[in-house]
Amino acid sequence: MNTANGKKVIVGMSGGVDSAVAAWMLKRDGYDVTGLFMHNWEEEGECPAADDWRDAKAVADMIGIPCYSVNFAKEYMDGVFEYFLREYRAFRTPNPDVLCNRVVKFGAFRDYCMSIGAQYIATGHYCRVASDNEPKLLRAVDGNKDQSYFLNQVKTEQLRNVIFPLGGMTKPQVRALAAEIGLPVAKKKDSTGICFIGERKFKKFLSEYLPAMPGDIVDVSGKAVGRHDGLMYYTLGQRRGLGIGGVKNETGRWFVLHKDVANNRLIVSCGDESDLYTTHLDGCDLNIIGDSQIKSGEKIACTAKTRYRQADFQATLTVYGDGKFSLDFETPQRAVTPGQYAVIYMGERCLGGGVIESTGK
């Protein structure tokens, strides 16, 4: 039964297939749909987003909806990119896509849409929202595409009047539907890279903003085995791109074990990876979605992830004051990395998450 009744919804149009299908579905279901393209990155010369904007307009024309472009570059720079650079200066490994969702997509974009009369906003994210007294964030039906991980910092209030049309679909179903209805982006490749900045040669891009500080790569005995381009370019557990070819190693592949910031050295090891594993982390900036009743000191049985492409592991969450929390794992986890997010689940529900500060055995 159609209950949309012409309610006004503004869809975040990225120029990709997911937001295109989301917009088409909403119009099909009887909503009064408008597309809004977020222009959030500025640089001299041809803007990488120009093709995406053209694709978004082409989709809107085909569907028969208006589509406009709004510039949120200042919000992105101040609220996301400065954080991104600050974390790299501290030699941590940030995830700007997580903060982008809270600051831009469900922050500046949502506020703008509501200010011009939208009753709902919608995006092409693969996740779901359930509401009783407060919105709750749920995983998508498609576990391979579920994006609840990237929404772990979105505030409860930011999920009110939000629609995720693709939450009950799989990616192959979305592609098939796009082809069936003739959307011009049906075969367009999914975007990768940094949110709104896109695919770049990462080292070259980062070096334009932060000076590189080359130094020694040493093994656990302190023996120099190579040179690094700058500690900010490496992450815990990394195996590829270390450039240690020619150094005799009969016990396995080299991997990053630690960053010795004080001496600008990258510590590597090979063979036994037991020192990469931990059963505990401490974190900050804990965000709980849809449940304000969790008390300081409370322990909660849950599952968690410390990176996106990872199976859930069993854990116990302990909540402290001022956004501080800890997680204790039932089984040791590899390469839990400060600066990344620990995301917490209870069944299909994403309870929220926070920034990893430190780890321990």
Side-chain angles (χ1 to χ4, degrees):
M1 182 177 179
N2 190 346
T3 59
N5 294 326
K7 292 179 179 176
K8 295 183 181 297
V9 58
I10 297 180
V11 184
M13 301 284 286
S14 67
V17 65
D18 294 330
S19 60
V21 170
W24 181 89
M25 291 173 66
L26 289 165
K27 184 174 183 189
R28 176 202 64 187
D29 292 344
Y31 287 91
D32 178 2
V33 182
T34 297
L36 194 68
F37 180 86
M38 289 173 268
H39 186 87
N40 298 326
W41 184 255
E42 294 180 331
E43 61 186 346
E44 295 180 2
E46 178 68 14
C47 175
D51 289 342
D52 291 332
W53 169 227
R54 284 191 289 268
D55 287 341
K57 288 192 293 184
V59 166
D61 289 343
M62 182 265 174
I63 295 175
I65 62 172
C67 188
Y68 307 100
S69 175
V70 177
N71 191 307
F72 295 122
K74 184 179 187 304
E75 289 85 349
Y76 183 83
M77 178 60 73
D78 293 347
V80 180
F81 196 64
E82 286 298 332
Y83 164 83
F84 173 83
L85 296 179
R86 189 164 61 249
E87 287 291 282
Y88 271 107
R89 288 190 191 100
F91 304 105
R92 303 211 302 179
T93 306
N95 190 323
D97 291 5
V98 171
L99 199 58
C100 179
N101 277 319
R102 189 181 78 195
V103 173
V104 180
K105 294 177 183 176
F106 297 92
F109 167 75
R110 183 185 188 280
D111 292 346
Y112 177 82
C113 293
M114 293 302 177
S115 75
I116 60 172
Q119 294 169 278
Y120 298 93
I121 68 163
T123 71
H125 284 96
Y126 286 82
C127 51
R128 295 174 293 152
V129 169
S131 295
D132 38 41
N133 293 327
E134 294 181 316
K136 292 180 174 60
L137 180 64
L138 306 180
R139 303 179 201 252
V141 167
D142 187 341
N144 188 53
K145 285 295 294 183
D146 172 56
Q147 292 173 301
S148 59
Y149 176 95
F150 296 105
L151 271 66
N152 80 83
Q153 289 292 293
V154 173
K155 302 297 184 182
T156 302
E157 287 298 315
Q158 293 178 310
L159 289 174
R160 294 193 189 279
N161 301 322
V162 172
I163 304 172
F164 295 120
L166 308 187
M169 301 178 68
T170 66
K171 183 71 178 197
Q173 288 173 330
V174 170
R175 287 280 185 193
L177 180 56
E180 178 185 336
I181 60 183
L183 289 175
V185 293
K187 295 183 179 180
K188 185 175 180 178
K189 181 182 175 183
D190 287 346
S191 62
T192 58
I194 304 168
C195 181
F196 290 120
I197 297 173
E199 299 180 32
R200 307 292 183 103
K201 292 183 178 179
F202 184 70
K203 283 187 179 181
K204 181 177 183 300
F205 174 74
L206 196 57
S207 69
E208 294 173 2
Y209 297 89
L210 298 175
M213 297 174 59
D216 286 333
I217 301 176
V218 302
D219 65 16
V220 291
S221 72
K223 177 184 176 181
V225 294
R227 294 281 290 174
H228 67 75
D229 298 324
L231 293 179
M232 62 187 174
Y233 298 131
Y234 303 87
T235 190
L236 191 67
Q238 179 178 332
R239 294 192 184 102
R240 295 182 179 179
L242 300 182
I244 315 179
V247 178
K248 187 175 181 181
N249 172 15
E250 298 176 351
T251 58
R253 296 175 61 186
W254 293 103
F255 59 86
V256 174
L257 180 63
H258 177 63
K259 294 180 183 182
D260 178 4
V261 175
N263 297 297
N264 193 29
R265 301 187 309 171
L266 189 69
I267 313 300
V268 298
S269 186
C270 55
D272 180 16
E273 294 191 354
S274 58
D275 285 342
L276 277 179
Y277 284 80
T278 183
T279 58
H280 176 89
L281 69 81
D282 292 301
C284 62
D285 299 332
L286 178 64
N287 178 54
I288 299 297
I289 301 171
D291 193 338
S292 57
Q293 304 304 311
I294 297 175
K295 298 181 177 65
S296 179
E298 186 173 355
K299 294 183 181 294
I300 300 169
C302 63
T303 62
K305 296 174 183 284
T306 57
R307 57 184 182 273
Y308 176 48
R309 291 295 182 187
Q310 178 186 32
D312 286 28
F313 54 84
Q314 295 292 326
T316 299
L317 168 69
T318 305
V319 179
Y320 308 106
D322 299 323
K324 299 289 187 179
F325 70 100
S326 66
L327 280 173
D328 292 285
F329 323 146
E330 284 192 6
T331 56
Q333 299 299 311
R334 182 183 186 274
V336 177
T337 305
Q340 291 284 294
Y341 288 89
V343 183
I344 303 150
Y345 292 88
M346 297 183 73
E348 66 177 354
R349 179 183 170 192
C350 177
L351 193 62
V355 179
I356 300 166
E357 285 193 304
S358 61
T359 64
K361 296 294 183 181

